[in-house]
Amino acid sequence: MPSRTQTTPRSSHAATNNVTVPGREGMTVRRLGVALGADPSSLYRYFRGTDDLTLAIADELIGRAMRGWTATGDWRADLREVGLRIHTAYLDHPEAAVLTASRVSGRANEIASDELVLGILRATGLPDPDVVRIYQAFIDQTLAFAALDAASLALPATARAADEEVWAATYARLSPATHPHIAATALLLVARMNHSAYPTALDMLLDSAEATLRARAAGAGR
C-alpha cells in the first residue's frame, strides 16, 4: 500500500490564483472560463485547446518551482533543493499536479530546468551515459511522487482523513499472531506512512549518484 502525504498545500488547490482545476476528463474550456469568470471563447486567443492549456499549466508549475533559485556549487545540495522545490510546487496545486505531472510540455520553463539539472550533473565529471541515467531517475522520481502525493491532497477531505486513519485504526491493531511483521513495526508505520516518502527516496537516489561518482573517481585513480 503506498504512503500518503499529510502535507497541506500552502496555496489553494488551483493552477493559478484561486481557480480549481477539474480532472483530465472534466476540464473543458467552457468550465475553465466559468471558473475564471471569463468568456470561454476568449481563452482561445491564448490557447489552441484544453491540451495546449494543460501543457501551459505544466510549464507554469515548473517555473514557479524554480523562481528565485540560485546554485550553491554543491551538486548534491543543489539537486536536492531543485527536487524539493518541484515537489512542493506541485503539491501547492494538487489538482493541477494530477493533471500535468505525466506530461512533457517542451516549453521554456521545462527546458530551462532540464538544462539546469543536466548541467549540475555534468559538472561532477560523470560521463554522459551516467548523467542521463541519473537525470531520468531524478526527474521521473520527483514527478511520480508529486503525482502520488498530489492525488491524495486532491481527494475530498473526508476521504483523505479516512485513508490516513487506516494506519492507526487497522494496521496498528493487527495481531502479531497473524501479521507479525506489521505488528512489530506498527508504531513506526503509523508515524511515517501519512507523510510523503519523497525526501527519503530523493536522498537514496542522491546516495546512489554519489556512489557512482566515487566509484568513477576511484577507477580513474588506479
Side-chain angles (χ1 to χ4, degrees), residues 113-124 131:
S113 66
D114 289 343
E115 176 72 6
L116 183 150
V117 171
L118 288 166
I120 291 171
L121 288 169
R122 294 190 80 223
T124 65
V131 166

Side-chain angles (χ1 to χ4, degrees), residues 98-140:
V98 171
L99 190 69
T100 64
S102 64
R103 302 303 303 274
V104 181
S105 76
R107 300 188 180 204
N109 290 321
E110 180 184 272
I111 291 171
S113 66
D114 289 343
E115 176 72 6
L116 183 150
V117 171
L118 288 166
I120 291 171
L121 288 169
R122 294 190 80 223
T124 65
L126 283 170
D128 285 348
D130 284 333
V131 166
V132 171
R133 176 177 60 83
I134 295 167
Y135 155 82
Q136 182 190 26
F138 172 80
I139 292 296
D140 283 2

Side-chain angles (χ1 to χ4, degrees), residues 69 72 74-86 113 116-121 124 134-135 138-139 142 198 202 205-206 209:
W69 180 83
T72 67
D74 179 332
W75 73 267
R76 178 170 180 143
D78 286 346
L79 274 186
R80 193 175 195 278
E81 177 67 13
V82 168
L84 292 174
R85 276 174 166 263
I86 293 172
S113 66
L116 183 150
V117 171
L118 288 166
I120 291 171
L121 288 169
T124 65
I134 295 167
Y135 155 82
F138 172 80
I139 292 296
T142 301
Y198 176 64
L202 177 58
L205 185 148
L206 294 173

Side-chain angles (χ1 to χ4, degrees), residues 85-205:
R85 276 174 166 263
I86 293 172
H87 183 257
T88 298
Y90 275 76
L91 264 60
D92 278 349
H93 305 283
E95 286 93 348
V98 171
L99 190 69
T100 64
S102 64
R103 302 303 303 274
V104 181
S105 76
R107 300 188 180 204
N109 290 321
E110 180 184 272
I111 291 171
S113 66
D114 289 343
E115 176 72 6
L116 183 150
V117 171
L118 288 166
I120 291 171
L121 288 169
R122 294 190 80 223
T124 65
L126 283 170
D128 285 348
D130 284 333
V131 166
V132 171
R133 176 177 60 83
I134 295 167
Y135 155 82
Q136 182 190 26
F138 172 80
I139 292 296
D140 283 2
Q141 181 191 74
T142 301
L143 294 177
F145 270 101
L148 173 68
D149 294 339
S152 179
L153 288 174
L155 288 171
T158 52
R160 187 169 70 249
D163 281 2
E164 292 170 354
E165 181 61 22
V166 168
W167 293 103
T170 300
Y171 280 82
R173 297 181 181 182
L174 293 173
S175 169
T178 55
H179 300 85
H181 304 301
I182 293 176
T185 58
L187 294 180
L188 295 171
L189 291 170
V190 170
R192 288 188 67 94
M193 294 305 290
N194 284 326
H195 299 275
S196 176
Y198 176 64
T200 299
L202 177 58
D203 284 335
M204 293 172 70
L205 185 148

